[in-house]
């Protein structure tokens, strides 16, 4: 549904799009949050899998930046929940991981897989690409 309207029109009606940064490492979470904000998102940083699952039952973000290795519930379990919840079918997911082999099983489910380390500019550009394809 969002693909019928320009991003600017959506933001004018409902405000900025929301991005969840689901990452337990503080430094990566800080950089990721800043990259999402400069790409035009409101952000919410979530540090563990259990909290992430709970928030995803309450809110449908436009974008989720998801670490695979989280305390509590794994990033893979969260990704599976996102992909099976009809409310979240429009949510774009960028997986961030330091484990290229561990990322292989999620290639089909994620919109994009980014291997750590990554730069602020890369993440910013990836976020813009994910949302422009969903909202234009």
């Amino acid at each position: 549904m969002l693909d019928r309207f320009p991003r600017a029109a959506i933001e004018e009606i409902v405000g900025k799009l929301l991005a969840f940064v689901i990452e337990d490492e503080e430094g990566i979470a800080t950089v990721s949050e800043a990259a999402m904000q400069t790409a035009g998102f409101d952000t919410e940083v979530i540090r563990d899998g259990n909290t992430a699952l709970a928030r995803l039952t309450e809110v449908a973000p436009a974008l989720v930046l998801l670490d695979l290795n989280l305390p509590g519930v794994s990033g893979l379990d969260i990704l599976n929940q996102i992909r099976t919840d009809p409310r979240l079918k429009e949510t774009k997911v960028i997986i961030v991981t330091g484990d290229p082999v561990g990322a292989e099983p999620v290639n089909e489910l994620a919109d994009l897989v980014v291997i750590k380390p990554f730069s602020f500019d890369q993440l910013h550009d990836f976020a813009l690409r994910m949302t422009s394809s969903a909202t234009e």
Side-chain angles (χ1 to χ4, degrees), residues 26-100:
E26 185 176 345
I28 294 172
T30 300
V31 169
S32 300
E33 180 181 31
M36 297 299 103
Q37 289 172 345
T38 60
F41 289 92
D42 282 333
T43 58
E44 181 174 334
V45 175
I46 302 170
R47 299 294 176 102
D48 68 88
N50 292 316
T51 303
L53 278 182
R55 287 296 291 144
L56 287 164
T57 64
E58 302 166 348
V59 180
L63 178 65
V64 171
L65 186 74
L66 178 61
D67 184 16
L68 288 180
N69 298 311
L70 296 166
V73 178
S74 75
L76 179 58
D77 290 340
I78 293 167
L79 179 59
N80 284 323
Q81 177 62 33
I82 291 169
R83 292 304 183 226
T84 58
D85 186 335
R87 292 178 319 99
L88 303 173
K89 71 177 185 169
E90 301 294 328
T91 298
K92 300 291 185 184
V93 179
I94 300 175
I95 296 293
V96 292
T97 184
D99 180 11

Side-chain angles (χ1 to χ4, degrees), residues 114-134:
V114 177
I115 305 300
K116 297 176 187 175
F118 52 83
S119 74
F120 175 93
D121 290 334
Q122 288 173 315
L123 197 54
H124 173 267
D125 292 346
F126 292 146
L128 287 176
R129 278 191 249 158
M130 288 290 107
T131 57
S132 65
S133 67

